[in-house]
Structure formats: C-alpha cells, structure tokens
Amino acid sequence: MEFENNLSFTDYSLESINISYTNIEIIIELENRYKIECENFISIDYIGQWDENIIDNIFVTSEDELIDLANRKIQKNNNIDLKGGGSRDFYGKWLCLIIKLIDSVEIKIVCSRVKIFDA
C-alpha cells in the first residue's frame, strides 16, 4: 500500500536499511513490524548516526532540497536529457522519504514511490 503521512511511527525502532540496485527497504518495529520500500531511489542522505535508532517521525514530501540536489548532480555527472534506464524517468515525479530519529538525525531518501507493508 502507498505510504501515507497520517501514520504514526513515534517510538518505533529502525531495525535495518537494505539498499539494492533500484530500491531501498527499511524495516521498523515496535508492537508491529513494517517494511517501507522506496522504489527507484536516486539519493540517500544519512549523516550523524551515533547510538540512537528510535524514530520520532516518518513522512513523505515532494518539496525537499535533496530532490533538487540529487537531480542536479545526476544531470551534471551523466549529461541526462532523456528517460533513464529501466523504470526511472529523470523528469518524472520525485518524492523524499524523511525519517527523523529522536536525536535529530534525519535519514532522507529520494525515490519515485514509497510503499509500506506488514513485515
């Protein structure tokens, strides 16, 4: 199912982040265990991890500076003016999944679609 911003994951634990060629899968757990899937990712930003993996909030936005930064970097590095390989479309709609931890660390993932499943 598509990820919705009205879901609350406060106090959930970030269990894992798995990166494959096109997708990132995130496992979170408290009373329930969920898998969040970021399809066709083009960027991940995760700076400042120390010893806290407890989630404060998770949400998706289409207006984050990382989206523009990732697009500019890809265009500069690859001289892209067309649809990318596979299901990626450089000029398609991009989203940013933001996971805020209780110690103020933010994990940001730019991708084309975010889904959530029971894990």
PDB file of all heavy atoms in Angstrom, residues 1-19:
ATOM      1  N   MET A   1       0.848  -1.174   0.000  1.00  0.00           N
ATOM      2  CA  MET A   1       0.000   0.000   0.000  1.00  0.00           C
ATOM      3  C   MET A   1       0.895   1.238   0.000  1.00  0.00           C
ATOM      4  O   MET A   1       2.006   1.202   0.507  1.00  0.00           O
ATOM      5  CB  MET A   1      -0.941  -0.090   1.202  1.00  0.00           C
ATOM      6  CG  MET A   1      -0.834   0.959   2.258  1.00  0.00           C
ATOM      7  SD  MET A   1      -2.148   0.813   3.477  1.00  0.00           S
ATOM      8  CE  MET A   1      -1.169   0.952   4.926  1.00  0.00           C
ATOM      9  N   GLU A   2       0.384   2.308  -0.569  1.00  0.00           N
ATOM     10  CA  GLU A   2       1.130   3.567  -0.614  1.00  0.00           C
ATOM     11  C   GLU A   2       1.314   4.113   0.796  1.00  0.00           C
ATOM     12  O   GLU A   2       0.423   4.019   1.633  1.00  0.00           O
ATOM     13  CB  GLU A   2       0.380   4.611  -1.452  1.00  0.00           C
ATOM     14  CG  GLU A   2       0.227   4.260  -2.909  1.00  0.00           C
ATOM     15  CD  GLU A   2       1.538   4.257  -3.678  1.00  0.00           C
ATOM     16  OE1 GLU A   2       2.405   5.097  -3.391  1.00  0.00           O
ATOM     17  OE2 GLU A   2       1.690   3.393  -4.549  1.00  0.00           O
ATOM     18  N   PHE A   3       2.480   4.680   1.051  1.00  0.00           N
ATOM     19  CA  PHE A   3       2.759   5.283   2.347  1.00  0.00           C
ATOM     20  C   PHE A   3       1.925   6.545   2.497  1.00  0.00           C
ATOM     21  O   PHE A   3       1.816   7.340   1.573  1.00  0.00           O
ATOM     22  CB  PHE A   3       4.244   5.629   2.454  1.00  0.00           C
ATOM     23  CG  PHE A   3       4.635   6.122   3.814  1.00  0.00           C
ATOM     24  CD1 PHE A   3       5.066   5.232   4.775  1.00  0.00           C
ATOM     25  CD2 PHE A   3       4.550   7.472   4.132  1.00  0.00           C
ATOM     26  CE1 PHE A   3       5.417   5.684   6.042  1.00  0.00           C
ATOM     27  CE2 PHE A   3       4.897   7.925   5.389  1.00  0.00           C
ATOM     28  CZ  PHE A   3       5.325   7.027   6.350  1.00  0.00           C
ATOM     29  N   GLU A   4       1.330   6.736   3.679  1.00  0.00           N
ATOM     30  CA  GLU A   4       0.536   7.930   3.969  1.00  0.00           C
ATOM     31  C   GLU A   4       1.131   8.670   5.154  1.00  0.00           C
ATOM     32  O   GLU A   4       1.565   8.049   6.126  1.00  0.00           O
ATOM     33  CB  GLU A   4      -0.912   7.545   4.261  1.00  0.00           C
ATOM     34  CG  GLU A   4      -1.613   6.888   3.075  1.00  0.00           C
ATOM     35  CD  GLU A   4      -3.038   6.485   3.409  1.00  0.00           C
ATOM     36  OE1 GLU A   4      -3.534   6.833   4.498  1.00  0.00           O
ATOM     37  OE2 GLU A   4      -3.645   5.809   2.572  1.00  0.00           O
ATOM     38  N   ASN A   5       1.139   9.978   5.090  1.00  0.00           N
ATOM     39  CA  ASN A   5       1.743  10.791   6.143  1.00  0.00           C
ATOM     40  C   ASN A   5       0.959  10.790   7.451  1.00  0.00           C
ATOM     41  O   ASN A   5       1.465  11.237   8.463  1.00  0.00           O
ATOM     42  CB  ASN A   5       1.931  12.235   5.664  1.00  0.00           C
ATOM     43  CG  ASN A   5       3.118  12.365   4.743  1.00  0.00           C
ATOM     44  OD1 ASN A   5       4.025  11.546   4.758  1.00  0.00           O
ATOM     45  ND2 ASN A   5       3.108  13.393   3.917  1.00  0.00           N
ATOM     46  N   ASN A   6      -0.264  10.294   7.453  1.00  0.00           N
ATOM     47  CA  ASN A   6      -1.054  10.313   8.681  1.00  0.00           C
ATOM     48  C   ASN A   6      -0.757   9.123   9.597  1.00  0.00           C
ATOM     49  O   ASN A   6      -1.326   9.011  10.674  1.00  0.00           O
ATOM     50  CB  ASN A   6      -2.553  10.380   8.372  1.00  0.00           C
ATOM     51  CG  ASN A   6      -3.038   9.168   7.598  1.00  0.00           C
ATOM     52  OD1 ASN A   6      -2.251   8.362   7.103  1.00  0.00           O
ATOM     53  ND2 ASN A   6      -4.341   9.033   7.473  1.00  0.00           N
ATOM     54  N   LEU A   7       0.154   8.231   9.195  1.00  0.00           N
ATOM     55  CA  LEU A   7       0.540   7.101  10.031  1.00  0.00           C
ATOM     56  C   LEU A   7       1.541   7.566  11.084  1.00  0.00           C
ATOM     57  O   LEU A   7       2.382   8.412  10.815  1.00  0.00           O
ATOM     58  CB  LEU A   7       1.165   6.000   9.170  1.00  0.00           C
ATOM     59  CG  LEU A   7       0.289   5.473   8.032  1.00  0.00           C
ATOM     60  CD1 LEU A   7       1.099   4.548   7.135  1.00  0.00           C
ATOM     61  CD2 LEU A   7      -0.923   4.754   8.594  1.00  0.00           C
ATOM     62  N   SER A   8       1.447   7.020  12.289  1.00  0.00           N
ATOM     63  CA  SER A   8       2.356   7.424  13.361  1.00  0.00           C
ATOM     64  C   SER A   8       3.325   6.291  13.682  1.00  0.00           C
ATOM     65  O   SER A   8       2.907   5.174  13.973  1.00  0.00           O
ATOM     66  CB  SER A   8       1.566   7.791  14.616  1.00  0.00           C
ATOM     67  OG  SER A   8       2.455   8.082  15.667  1.00  0.00           O
ATOM     68  N   PHE A   9       4.633   6.598  13.634  1.00  0.00           N
ATOM     69  CA  PHE A   9       5.670   5.622  13.957  1.00  0.00           C
ATOM     70  C   PHE A   9       6.575   6.118  15.084  1.00  0.00           C
ATOM     71  O   PHE A   9       7.702   5.670  15.223  1.00  0.00           O
ATOM     72  CB  PHE A   9       6.478   5.286  12.706  1.00  0.00           C
ATOM     73  CG  PHE A   9       5.634   4.631  11.649  1.00  0.00           C
ATOM     74  CD1 PHE A   9       5.302   5.314  10.491  1.00  0.00           C
ATOM     75  CD2 PHE A   9       5.143   3.352  11.831  1.00  0.00           C
ATOM     76  CE1 PHE A   9       4.510   4.723   9.529  1.00  0.00           C
ATOM     77  CE2 PHE A   9       4.347   2.751  10.864  1.00  0.00           C
ATOM     78  CZ  PHE A   9       4.032   3.439   9.717  1.00  0.00           C
ATOM     79  N   THR A  10       6.063   7.036  15.906  1.00  0.00           N
ATOM     80  CA  THR A  10       6.812   7.529  17.051  1.00  0.00           C
ATOM     81  C   THR A  10       7.167   6.366  17.964  1.00  0.00           C
ATOM     82  O   THR A  10       6.323   5.511  18.239  1.00  0.00           O
ATOM     83  CB  THR A  10       5.977   8.571  17.820  1.00  0.00           C
ATOM     84  OG1 THR A  10       5.647   9.635  16.928  1.00  0.00           O
ATOM     85  CG2 THR A  10       6.727   9.127  19.013  1.00  0.00           C
ATOM     86  N   ASP A  11       8.410   6.321  18.392  1.00  0.00           N
ATOM     87  CA  ASP A  11       8.968   5.309  19.289  1.00  0.00           C
ATOM     88  C   ASP A  11       9.260   3.970  18.621  1.00  0.00           C
ATOM     89  O   ASP A  11       9.727   3.041  19.284  1.00  0.00           O
ATOM     90  CB  ASP A  11       8.098   5.089  20.534  1.00  0.00           C
ATOM     91  CG  ASP A  11       8.044   6.320  21.413  1.00  0.00           C
ATOM     92  OD1 ASP A  11       9.037   7.082  21.427  1.00  0.00           O
ATOM     93  OD2 ASP A  11       7.020   6.529  22.080  1.00  0.00           O
ATOM     94  N   TYR A  12       9.011   3.852  17.334  1.00  0.00           N
ATOM     95  CA  TYR A  12       9.416   2.641  16.619  1.00  0.00           C
ATOM     96  C   TYR A  12      10.934   2.609  16.538  1.00  0.00           C
ATOM     97  O   TYR A  12      11.594   3.647  16.571  1.00  0.00           O
ATOM     98  CB  TYR A  12       8.841   2.615  15.196  1.00  0.00           C
ATOM     99  CG  TYR A  12       7.483   1.971  15.105  1.00  0.00           C
ATOM    100  CD1 TYR A  12       6.358   2.613  15.603  1.00  0.00           C
ATOM    101  CD2 TYR A  12       7.319   0.726  14.511  1.00  0.00           C
ATOM    102  CE1 TYR A  12       5.101   2.038  15.524  1.00  0.00           C
ATOM    103  CE2 TYR A  12       6.068   0.136  14.427  1.00  0.00           C
ATOM    104  CZ  TYR A  12       4.969   0.797  14.935  1.00  0.00           C
ATOM    105  OH  TYR A  12       3.729   0.217  14.861  1.00  0.00           O
ATOM    106  N   SER A  13      11.479   1.434  16.408  1.00  0.00           N
ATOM    107  CA  SER A  13      12.918   1.255  16.274  1.00  0.00           C
ATOM    108  C   SER A  13      13.268   1.026  14.803  1.00  0.00           C
ATOM    109  O   SER A  13      12.597   0.248  14.115  1.00  0.00           O
ATOM    110  CB  SER A  13      13.348   0.037  17.100  1.00  0.00           C
ATOM    111  OG  SER A  13      14.709  -0.233  16.923  1.00  0.00           O
ATOM    112  N   LEU A  14      14.299   1.704  14.342  1.00  0.00           N
ATOM    113  CA  LEU A  14      14.813   1.488  12.992  1.00  0.00           C
ATOM    114  C   LEU A  14      15.680   0.228  13.043  1.00  0.00           C
ATOM    115  O   LEU A  14      16.732   0.219  13.664  1.00  0.00           O
ATOM    116  CB  LEU A  14      15.631   2.691  12.540  1.00  0.00           C
ATOM    117  CG  LEU A  14      16.339   2.571  11.202  1.00  0.00           C
ATOM    118  CD1 LEU A  14      15.337   2.439  10.064  1.00  0.00           C
ATOM    119  CD2 LEU A  14      17.232   3.774  10.976  1.00  0.00           C
ATOM    120  N   GLU A  15      15.212  -0.836  12.424  1.00  0.00           N
ATOM    121  CA  GLU A  15      15.894  -2.131  12.505  1.00  0.00           C
ATOM    122  C   GLU A  15      16.932  -2.317  11.408  1.00  0.00           C
ATOM    123  O   GLU A  15      18.001  -2.849  11.651  1.00  0.00           O
ATOM    124  CB  GLU A  15      14.869  -3.270  12.450  1.00  0.00           C
ATOM    125  CG  GLU A  15      13.923  -3.292  13.631  1.00  0.00           C
ATOM    126  CD  GLU A  15      14.627  -3.546  14.951  1.00  0.00           C
ATOM    127  OE1 GLU A  15      15.524  -4.413  14.992  1.00  0.00           O
ATOM    128  OE2 GLU A  15      14.282  -2.873  15.940  1.00  0.00           O
ATOM    129  N   SER A  16      16.593  -1.907  10.162  1.00  0.00           N
ATOM    130  CA  SER A  16      17.554  -2.104   9.067  1.00  0.00           C
ATOM    131  C   SER A  16      17.215  -1.214   7.886  1.00  0.00           C
ATOM    132  O   SER A  16      16.081  -0.779   7.705  1.00  0.00           O
ATOM    133  CB  SER A  16      17.578  -3.567   8.614  1.00  0.00           C
ATOM    134  OG  SER A  16      16.354  -3.931   8.017  1.00  0.00           O
ATOM    135  N   ILE A  17      18.263  -0.957   7.103  1.00  0.00           N
ATOM    136  CA  ILE A  17      18.137  -0.280   5.814  1.00  0.00           C
ATOM    137  C   ILE A  17      18.900  -1.141   4.819  1.00  0.00           C
ATOM    138  O   ILE A  17      20.100  -1.356   4.985  1.00  0.00           O
ATOM    139  CB  ILE A  17      18.735   1.143   5.846  1.00  0.00           C
ATOM    140  CG1 ILE A  17      17.992   2.017   6.862  1.00  0.00           C
ATOM    141  CG2 ILE A  17      18.689   1.777   4.452  1.00  0.00           C
ATOM    142  CD1 ILE A  17      18.600   3.391   7.060  1.00  0.00           C
ATOM    143  N   ASN A  18      18.211  -1.642   3.818  1.00  0.00           N
ATOM    144  CA  ASN A  18      18.820  -2.504   2.799  1.00  0.00           C
ATOM    145  C   ASN A  18      18.734  -1.806   1.446  1.00  0.00           C
ATOM    146  O   ASN A  18      17.649  -1.413   1.014  1.00  0.00           O
ATOM    147  CB  ASN A  18      18.114  -3.857   2.736  1.00  0.00           C
ATOM    148  CG  ASN A  18      18.224  -4.600   4.046  1.00  0.00           C
ATOM    149  OD1 ASN A  18      19.317  -4.825   4.532  1.00  0.00           O
ATOM    150  ND2 ASN A  18      17.087  -4.956   4.620  1.00  0.00           N
ATOM    151  N   ILE A  19      19.880  -1.664   0.792  1.00  0.00           N
ATOM    152  CA  ILE A  19      19.952  -0.964  -0.488  1.00  0.00           C
ATOM    153  C   ILE A  19      20.241  -1.972  -1.588  1.00  0.00           C
ATOM    154  O   ILE A  19      21.213  -2.727  -1.510  1.00  0.00           O
ATOM    155  CB  ILE A  19      21.066   0.105  -0.465  1.00  0.00           C
ATOM    156  CG1 ILE A  19      20.802   1.109   0.661  1.00  0.00           C
ATOM    157  CG2 ILE A  19      21.160   0.808  -1.822  1.00  0.00           C
ATOM    158  CD1 ILE A  19      21.929   2.093   0.879  1.00  0.00           C
TER     159      ILE A  19
END
